[in-house]
Amino acid sequence: MTIKIPKVKAPAAIGSSSTETVANSIDMAAFLHNGHPGPLLTVRQVASRWQMSERHVRRLIANGMLQPHRLGRAVRIAERDMAAFERSCR
């Protein structure tokens, strides 16, 4: 699956003239690949996709088999982590 991601211009520094504006654009695909986890799913969404209980998904997280992202009390699973887990189970 190929995702088209637009390039975003970096904002100019405060107090700089328009000729000093940063012309380099950030490659969002590289950003997503290198540091951003990608789309995040809830435990319920993962359980629904795998047709299993939320409790089982939480057990996989507790056992360290599935890597979560904790945002305060919220638990989210990145799609790429879910896909990696699916590949490891084959």
Side-chain angles (χ1 to χ4, degrees), residues 5-89:
I5 301 173
K7 292 191 175 187
V8 179
K9 298 248 181 193
I14 297 174
S16 67
S17 69
S18 61
T19 57
E20 296 173 359
T21 302
V22 179
N24 296 335
S25 58
I26 300 169
D27 186 359
M28 292 302 286
F31 174 70
L32 288 172
H33 177 70
N34 295 329
H36 193 272
L40 299 176
L41 304 171
T42 65
V43 171
R44 179 174 287 168
Q45 289 170 322
V46 173
S48 175
R49 176 173 170 169
W50 288 344
Q51 298 179 352
M52 60 179 53
S53 69
E54 291 179 41
R55 185 174 180 184
H56 185 74
V57 174
R58 290 185 189 281
R59 279 191 203 126
L60 293 173
I61 292 169
N63 292 336
M65 298 175 72
L66 186 60
Q67 298 299 314
H69 293 269
R70 299 188 190 274
L71 309 168
R73 292 177 55 187
V75 177
R76 300 290 183 264
I77 295 102
E79 271 191 358
R80 72 178 182 190
D81 293 333
M82 189 175 65
F85 179 79
E86 289 170 347
R87 283 190 303 274
S88 73
C89 292

